[in-house]
Amino acid sequence: MGLEGVRPDDLLPILAIILVVIVIALGDVFNSLLPSRAIPASEEYTYVSASNPEEPKALPSLGDSPSVELSIIVPAFDETARLKPMIESTLEHLRSLSPHRSFEIIIVDDGSKDDTSGLALKLAISHAKANAKDEIRVVRLRMNRGKGGAVKHGCMHSRGERILFVDADGATRFSDLEALWKKMDELEEKEEGGPCIVIGSRAHLVNSEAVVKRSKIRNFLMKGFHTTLRVLGVGYIGDTQCGFKLFNRPAAQQVFPPLHLPTWIFDVELLLLAQFLRIPVLEIPVHWHEVPGSKLNIAGASLSMLRDLILLRINYLLGRWSPRDFQVD
């Protein structure tokens, strides 16, 4: 039997089915390429600090009521060279505020090969103040999960009314937190205490010396990345990747549990989730400078970025991932 008499319109349902099958197959392929998730060890749900350097204590849950005003999550992988000045500048700013704002700093050692967790504990002990509620907590992951995995783990076990994640390199001026804090106050008042997100942005630096000095290939990839984001639907955000994002607790409780991507592109998924859940996101310019010592391999990161963005689009498009998911951290 041939195809005589078969109209092109008759083939459309078959082509549609074939397309769906191809998309599902691609989803399976890209899912298989996603970094495998190690089964969390029990010690990853504990922390050490100046008050308990030798006896790990159980971490709290994001579902608990807050007990400090601010949690600061610092993902750290092999950061012995850059962590100390970043923590010191953070503490200098926080302790200069009047009135005082209670805080905790959670340093999540993401399976470092160096002594990042040891240095973090030394910093916690050396900067501890008697009778102070403020504390530096150190959490160690046995295996490297990726920046997204480390940030999620810290956020899921934080105590703050507001939660900030910040890069360990100190590239963003920490005192710019006050601009984000003020905007969060305004946004929470407008939203009557509902979920809100305020993020730092380097979009205003696009033509600045800090960006122009970067390699041509890095700037080229950055432009391609932003073009892809527009296709994904988060092009309204000028800078998705700035490691300086502030969440109030209701927002964190909604966007971190369903977060799937453990890689450095996780920010994009967070912003997509916020969009799906209709959580308002405000973007605030921050001061930023390049800090030597980045472990990001441009070629490898570009390939993984493409893989993860396709994975993100396919899984949400097919309904395999949902803002209502709960992914164990």
Side-chain angles (χ1 to χ4, degrees), residues 1 50 75 101 136 139 156 158 189 204 217 221 263 278 280 297:
M1 182 177 176
R101 181 186 299 150
I136 297 177
V139 179
M156 292 292 287
S158 58
E189 184 176 356
H204 63 294
I217 187 169
L221 291 170
T263 53
R278 298 185 179 181
N297 179 287

Side-chain angles (χ1 to χ4, degrees), residues 14 40 46 84 96 103 124 146 203 290 316:
I14 298 174
T46 64
K84 186 173 184 288
S96 71
F103 66 88
E290 190 90 47
Y316 278 107

Side-chain angles (χ1 to χ4, degrees), residues 30 228 301-311:
F30 282 107
T228 307
S302 300
L303 291 173
S304 65
M305 174 200 77
L306 181 61
R307 174 202 67 197
D308 292 349
L309 289 176
I310 294 173
L311 179 69

Side-chain angles (χ1 to χ4, degrees), residues 272-288:
L272 269 177
L273 286 165
Q275 190 177 49
F276 291 152
L277 296 165
R278 298 185 179 181
I279 298 173
V281 179
L282 281 183
E283 197 170 5
I284 305 298
V286 293
H287 294 81
W288 178 88

Side-chain angles (χ1 to χ4, degrees), residues 161-164 177-199 245-252 279-282 284:
E161 294 174 7
R162 294 178 179 176
I163 301 165
L164 174 80
L177 168 64
E178 299 317 304
L180 274 67
W181 198 271
K182 182 179 178 181
K183 284 297 179 184
M184 180 69 82
D185 286 340
E186 296 173 4
L187 194 54
E188 281 190 330
E189 184 176 356
K190 180 182 176 183
E191 298 295 322
E192 300 180 343
C196 304
I197 302 172
V198 182
I199 64 175
K245 292 182 172 67
L246 181 66
F247 305 76
N248 67 1
R249 199 169 186 85
I279 298 173
V281 179
L282 281 183
I284 305 298

Side-chain angles (χ1 to χ4, degrees), residues 7-58:
R7 296 177 302 169
D9 289 350
D10 296 332
L11 296 175
L12 288 178
I14 298 174
L15 292 174
I17 293 171
I18 292 172
L19 181 60
V20 169
V21 170
I22 290 173
V23 170
I24 292 173
L26 281 173
D28 289 335
V29 170
F30 282 107
N31 274 325
S32 70
L33 295 175
L34 190 67
S36 59
R37 295 182 182 179
I39 298 174
S42 58
E43 60 263 31
E44 295 179 349
Y45 295 98
T46 64
Y47 72 93
V48 290
S49 67
S51 61
N52 60 305
E54 302 294 336
E55 298 180 9
K57 291 183 178 179

Side-chain angles (χ1 to χ4, degrees), residues 116-275:
T116 291
S117 56
L119 172 62
L121 183 56
K122 288 177 184 176
L123 290 169
I125 294 169
S126 64
H127 290 287
K129 289 199 170 184
N131 303 317
K133 194 175 185 180
D134 311 325
E135 185 176 40
I136 297 177
R137 296 184 167 188
V138 183
V139 179
R140 177 167 172 75
L141 304 179
R142 285 201 309 181
M143 295 180 64
N144 178 259
R145 296 190 187 185
K147 183 181 175 183
V151 168
K152 176 175 179 174
H153 191 72
C155 289
M156 292 292 287
H157 300 286
S158 58
R159 298 178 291 151
E161 294 174 7
R162 294 178 179 176
I163 301 165
L164 174 80
F165 74 74
V166 57
D167 290 342
D169 60 5
T172 302
R173 189 174 70 180
F174 193 82
S175 59
D176 285 351
L177 168 64
E178 299 317 304
L180 274 67
W181 198 271
K182 182 179 178 181
K183 284 297 179 184
M184 180 69 82
D185 286 340
E186 296 173 4
L187 194 54
E188 281 190 330
E189 184 176 356
K190 180 182 176 183
E191 298 295 322
E192 300 180 343
C196 304
I197 302 172
V198 182
I199 64 175
S201 174
R202 304 159 298 179
H204 63 294
L205 298 173
V206 167
N207 296 315
S208 69
E209 186 179 8
V211 173
V212 171
K213 277 187 174 181
R214 296 200 301 192
S215 69
K216 289 182 179 179
I217 187 169
R218 189 163 183 170
N219 285 328
F220 173 77
L221 291 170
M222 181 180 70
K223 290 178 181 177
F225 176 67
H226 286 296
T227 300
T228 307
L229 292 181
R230 284 195 291 273
V231 174
L232 280 173
V234 288
Y236 70 99
I237 299 293
D239 180 10
T240 60
Q241 299 309 111
C242 182
F244 205 73
K245 292 182 172 67
L246 181 66
F247 305 76
N248 67 1
R249 199 169 186 85
Q253 288 171 334
Q254 290 193 45
V255 299
F256 280 101
L259 182 68
H260 294 79
L261 290 178
T263 53
W264 68 277
I265 210 74
F266 77 102
D267 306 70
V268 176
E269 187 180 1
L270 280 178
L271 294 170
L272 269 177
L273 286 165
Q275 190 177 49

